[in-house]
Amino acid sequence: MCENCEINTLIIANASSEQVPMLTKELNKKHFYFTHIASSGSFMQLSTNTLIIGIPKERFDELMKIIRKHCRKQRTHIATQTQIEAHFQPSQPIIIEAETGGATILTIPVEHFEQY
């Protein structure tokens, strides 16, 4: 529980499922409390996680430093399957390079906060 907390900022962070375990471990260690929601997105339907974090505005920079440390973008190679339309037979896969990881952050001011 957060006693005597002045929660005035809500952070919604969407990050790669591969990067979230280390991120949440450090957030817990630094006493950031959050709601964790599993989701998926992007054209590759990669699994992601959304963290909803209520903080005092003064801790914003500390939180962003942790997120930047654990949610870096990275390049990966993905095999795509194409079909030749005339024969409907699979052709050789095409390897594409894609950027994965990173985080999308939304910051919302909080007008009222209560905890029971």
Side-chain angles (χ1 to χ4, degrees):
M1 289 281 183
C2 182
E3 295 180 25
N4 301 320
C5 282
E6 187 177 323
I7 303 297
N8 54 21
T9 305
L10 182 69
I11 306 297
I12 301 172
N14 189 275
S16 164
S17 292
E18 297 168 350
Q19 296 172 324
V20 166
M22 292 303 294
L23 172 62
T24 56
K25 183 177 180 179
E26 187 164 348
L27 290 175
N28 281 326
K29 188 167 127 182
K30 300 287 184 175
H31 303 285
F32 285 99
Y33 304 103
F34 51 86
T35 298
H36 184 176
I37 303 169
S39 55
S40 67
S42 80
F43 76 96
M44 296 182 289
Q45 292 301 307
L46 298 174
S47 64
T48 59
N49 288 263
T50 301
L51 302 178
I52 301 172
I53 311 163
I55 60 169
K57 193 173 191 174
E58 298 78 30
R59 294 194 72 193
F60 179 77
D61 290 338
E62 180 185 2
L63 174 63
M64 291 306 297
K65 184 178 177 180
I66 294 168
I67 293 173
R68 284 187 188 105
K69 175 182 173 183
H70 293 286
C71 298
R72 296 194 178 274
K73 289 186 178 185
Q74 54 200 19
R75 296 224 175 254
T76 188
H77 293 86
I78 299 168
T80 62
Q81 189 65 47
T82 60
Q83 293 183 352
I84 299 171
E85 288 186 30
H87 304 290
F88 295 104
Q89 301 225 355
S91 62
Q92 292 293 323
I94 298 172
I95 306 297
I96 61 169
E97 185 177 67
E99 194 172 71
T100 60
T104 302
I105 310 296
L106 300 170
T107 305
I108 303 168
V110 173
E111 290 183 25
H112 179 77
F113 170 76
E114 284 186 42
Q115 187 170 18
Y116 301 98

